[in-house]
Amino acid sequence: MEKQRIYRYTWGFLFLFAGVAAGLILNVCMGSVRIPVEEVWRILTGKGGEMVSARILLDIRMPRTIAAILLGGALALAGYLLQTFFHNPIAGPFVLGISSGAKMAVALVMVVLMGHSVRVTSADMILSAFLGALLSMGFVLLVSRRMAGMSQLVISGVMIGYICSAITELIVTFAEDSDIVNLHNWAQGSFSGITWEQTELIAAVILVTFLITFSLSKPLGAYQLGESYAQNMGVNIRALRIWLVLLSSILSACIVSFAGPISFVGIATPHLVKRLFGSSRPLLMIPACFLGGSVFCLFCDLLARNLFAPTELNISTVTAIFGAPVVLWVMAKQRKDRGL
């Protein structure tokens, strides 16, 4: 039995790594300008290649693809942390309104600072999004204490999201025309326009957050078995909850700052990964969810860019098409398990 589990885990990780590798290759090669794999290799190794292809590959596609890997993984990991925190299978940054809170804060900073000709840095964007995500998370926590049912918590999160979105629209009303264009494009969700400088910052923030999250694997495993059990195992429940709030907010903030709000990845991916591995152990789920989110976003971004080229779809449009059925399946499964 133990050998079968190890075999399944090994093949699960190999499948996810192969998916990331395939998604990376397809994303850098395919687009309005096709670049053969051989030419990609020559450009990356400095052995030649056309100048136009090199600029497209190095300045546009590579940073965008790496950002999709990092941000997709972060989004799935944030969803897993929130589902663990609330013991709720359909909790996620988008559903609970946390992404909307981060979006509201970023829109406010962009409009106010840009309106006064103040340069907005990537660090400013992350910090403002983090504060907005924490604000929304605070409201969700307050509501969760009074809401016993899963459906009530989800409805409350959706309402918080609507409130934040309404405030964002109000902010946009008083923005300059040039700022409105930037806000509109960003608010739709896209990995387009991400630079190497931004990718380096994304990588630094997400790497540190991932390592801290992975170090919490053991207390998270105990927490999944119940708070009483975790306390008996010596887990500081209050400290663990604070860490879960902070880590999920940082991940959500990083995603919204650079790619805008992206729906359903954080909810759907953890369930698909659990199905693949047949386990919910944090030691497996944390890296597996990250890889699964990367694969999900790589292939959704590939479709968004190429399906109706040269017109590019919003990434949230594609993720919703594939992610929403998973959410419906989870809800139906929960109803069946309860015998309703």
Side-chain angles (χ1 to χ4, degrees):
M1 193 69 177
E2 186 65 27
K3 287 184 178 180
Q4 289 181 343
R5 282 202 297 266
I6 293 172
Y7 182 81
R8 183 171 185 174
Y9 299 159
T10 302
W11 278 105
F13 277 112
L14 287 175
F15 174 78
L16 292 175
F17 276 116
V20 172
L24 191 152
I25 293 168
L26 290 171
N27 271 273
V28 298
C29 292
M30 296 180 66
S32 54
V33 176
R34 299 296 177 97
I35 306 176
V37 176
E38 299 82 5
E39 188 168 1
V40 170
W41 178 252
R42 287 198 300 270
I43 293 170
L44 293 178
T45 55
K47 295 180 180 179
E50 294 184 10
M51 184 65 70
V52 174
S53 297
R55 290 195 64 182
I56 292 172
L57 176 66
L58 297 176
D59 297 339
I60 299 173
R61 290 188 186 172
M62 281 300 292
R64 176 175 183 154
T65 302
I66 293 172
I69 292 172
L70 294 170
L71 295 176
L75 190 53
L77 186 54
Y80 173 70
L81 291 177
L82 290 170
Q83 288 171 12
T84 303
F85 181 88
F86 288 105
H87 299 290
N88 190 319
I90 57 173
F94 188 81
V95 168
L96 296 180
I98 297 169
S99 294
S100 296
K103 173 184 169 184
M104 176 188 69
V106 171
L108 181 62
V109 168
M110 288 176 68
V111 169
V112 172
L113 294 186
M114 288 181 177
H116 291 83
S117 301
V118 178
R119 182 173 176 269
V120 180
T121 65
S122 298
D124 295 331
M125 298 273 280
I126 290 180
L127 180 59
S128 59
F130 174 64
L131 294 175
L134 274 182
L135 181 65
S136 293
M137 187 69 161
F139 279 113
V140 172
L141 290 174
L142 287 174
V143 169
S144 66
R145 292 182 178 180
R146 298 179 177 272
M147 301 292 183
M150 179 180 70
S151 59
Q152 290 180 319
L153 177 62
V154 172
I155 292 171
S156 300
V158 171
M159 293 302 104
I160 290 170
Y162 275 122
I163 292 169
C164 292
S165 296
I167 295 173
T168 304
E169 292 298 323
L170 185 64
I171 293 168
V172 171
T173 303
F174 296 98
E176 298 292 334
D177 291 342
S178 58
D179 295 337
I180 290 174
V181 175
N182 294 330
L183 279 168
H184 178 74
N185 293 335
W186 162 79
Q188 299 305 307
S190 175
F191 297 117
S192 178
I194 294 179
T195 64
W196 278 115
E197 181 184 1
Q198 292 173 328
T199 304
E200 290 172 1
L201 182 58
I202 291 168
V205 173
I206 290 177
L207 176 62
V208 172
T209 309
F210 176 85
L211 291 175
I212 295 172
T213 304
F214 191 74
S215 70
L216 297 174
S217 297
K218 188 174 180 179
L220 274 175
Y223 183 77
Q224 286 180 331
L225 297 174
E227 293 183 15
S228 299
Y229 177 82
Q231 285 177 335
N232 291 333
M233 292 295 292
V235 176
N236 187 329
I237 298 296
R238 182 180 177 83
L240 180 62
R241 284 178 169 176
I242 291 171
W243 274 115
L244 290 176
V245 169
L246 290 175
L247 292 170
S248 59
S249 297
I250 291 171
L251 292 170
S252 301
C254 195
I255 297 150
V256 172
S257 299
F258 296 104
I262 300 176
S263 60
F264 290 104
V265 179
I267 312 173
T269 304
H271 294 288
L272 295 174
V273 171
K274 285 178 187 176
R275 190 80 173 177
L276 176 64
F277 284 83
S279 173
S280 60
R281 293 173 59 193
L283 194 65
L284 292 170
M285 287 296 295
I286 290 171
C289 279
F290 191 91
L291 291 171
S294 299
V295 174
F296 197 111
C297 282
L298 278 172
F299 283 96
C300 285
D301 192 43
L302 183 69
L303 292 174
R305 288 193 299 110
N306 293 282
L307 204 57
F308 298 104
T311 301
E312 184 175 321
L313 298 174
N314 301 323
I315 186 68
S316 283
T317 302
V318 185
T319 56
I321 291 171
F322 293 103
V326 177
V327 177
L328 293 174
W329 168 72
V330 171
M331 293 176 70
K333 190 172 182 296
Q334 287 287 313
R335 185 179 178 87
K336 184 179 179 181
D337 292 342
R338 290 174 183 176
L340 298 176

